[in-house]
Amino acid sequence: MISDRGALEIIGPELVTQRGVGVVAPFDFALDRELWRWAPDDVSLYMTRLPFVPVPVTIEMASELSDPDRVRRATKDVLAPEPLVVTYACASGSFVGGAGGERELHASMMSAGAPSATTTSGGLVEALRALNLNRIAVVTPYIDSVTERLLSFLAEHGVEVVSSVGLGLLDHIWKVGYAEIVQAVTSVDVPEADGLFISCTNVPTYDIIGPLERWLGKPVLTANQVTMWSALHAIGSPMMASGQWLAQVTQPYAA
């Protein structure tokens, strides 16, 4: 029997060819949706998580999460859909070992077969250089010992932290609200700071970056923002970040 239904007409836009970004995240990462907000329509995120570590958010946890063998295995896991870049989305894990530790993380992803690789803390350094920021204020959710590792990492890269504050949290960091972050920013901002960094990829920040920058009159960088910026930069893609200083200043890598 011959059908007389004719050709199927597809109504709607053509399917956009996707470019992939592989994301290696900590086991407790809870903000997948926030990362997607920086991604253009032609970029897909391929997520994988590192194995569970039964300890609080301490130097020990950050060190476990940055184990090169674990990161190498996770990178291999996320290569199947053929991403153009793999990014390690963890601030503390990428600064806890200092500049050398961050380089080792990058090398472990590349040795696993990643076509290109970035890290949160490496992306932060690149973003600070792009904006010519050498003196910054820092907000973290961490206990003091972890915050100190971040300050030391930045010092290795010639960045002076003129003021800092940590919230002292050992778990459930993703539950921190915007109001608490804004309060911390208010307490730490000083005239000597050319910009401000909010650490931890488990801290939500997308909606408050632009308003904070307009209020403070200076750039505000955040862990998830620089993670996505560095990964998208690596593949020559714009970042969906209307009103955010980093995107505006680093054209053509801007929305």
Side-chain angles (χ1 to χ4, degrees):
M1 181 176 179
I2 299 176
S3 171
D4 58 358
R5 287 182 295 180
L8 174 65
E9 181 181 0
I10 304 297
I11 300 175
E14 289 292 323
L15 183 65
V16 177
T17 301
Q18 294 293 292
R19 293 178 292 167
V21 171
V23 180
V24 175
F27 63 90
D28 64 342
F29 181 64
L31 302 179
D32 303 54
R33 186 175 182 276
E34 174 156 293
L35 293 186
W36 277 96
R37 298 179 72 182
W38 279 286
D41 288 343
D42 67 337
V43 171
S44 286
L45 305 184
Y46 309 141
M47 308 287 298
T48 192
R49 279 169 168 74
L50 293 162
F52 174 66
V53 180
V55 296
V57 181
T58 58
I59 289 176
E60 180 185 359
M61 175 189 277
S63 298
E64 292 284 346
L65 291 175
S66 63
D67 177 80
D69 289 335
R70 293 187 181 192
V71 174
R72 188 178 297 109
R73 289 195 296 270
T75 301
K76 288 182 178 179
D77 289 342
V78 84
L79 290 180
E82 300 181 348
L84 299 179
V85 61
V86 176
T87 187
Y88 174 83
C90 178
S92 61
S94 54
F95 67 63
V96 69
E102 193 277 330
R103 288 192 296 269
E104 189 173 9
L105 276 176
H106 184 276
S108 71
M109 290 188 285
M110 295 298 292
S111 69
S116 181
T118 67
T119 72
T120 298
S121 296
L124 169 61
V125 171
E126 291 179 13
L128 290 170
R129 289 173 178 164
L131 298 180
N132 195 29
L133 300 178
N134 298 305
R135 308 182 77 208
I136 66 171
V138 167
V139 171
T140 86
Y142 315 127
I143 60 175
D144 289 346
S145 58
V146 181
T147 298
E148 286 298 323
R149 291 292 183 100
L150 171 57
L151 307 192
S152 297
F153 172 84
L154 289 169
E156 286 188 82
H157 289 281
V159 178
E160 180 183 358
V161 177
V162 297
S163 61
S164 65
V165 64
L167 301 180
L169 300 179
L170 289 169
D171 54 25
H172 293 86
I173 290 173
W174 66 89
K175 294 183 179 180
V176 173
Y178 284 158
E180 190 171 358
I181 300 167
V182 170
Q183 184 178 7
V185 168
T186 302
S187 71
V188 81
D189 181 50
V190 292
E192 297 86 352
D194 299 323
L196 190 136
F197 174 58
I198 302 170
S199 191
C200 191
T201 53
N202 242 348
V203 172
T205 57
Y206 186 94
D207 293 307
I208 61 174
I209 295 172
L212 279 173
E213 289 179 327
R214 292 188 292 273
W215 184 43
L216 300 174
K218 61 185 68 173
V220 173
L221 302 176
T222 77
N224 281 327
Q225 180 200 43
V226 298
T227 299
M228 287 299 295
W229 176 78
S230 63
L232 293 170
H233 190 154
I235 64 174
S237 174
M239 180 169 72
M240 306 306 290
S242 178
Q244 295 181 14
W245 208 307
L246 180 61
Q248 293 174 334
V249 173
T250 56
Q251 292 282 7
Y253 307 107

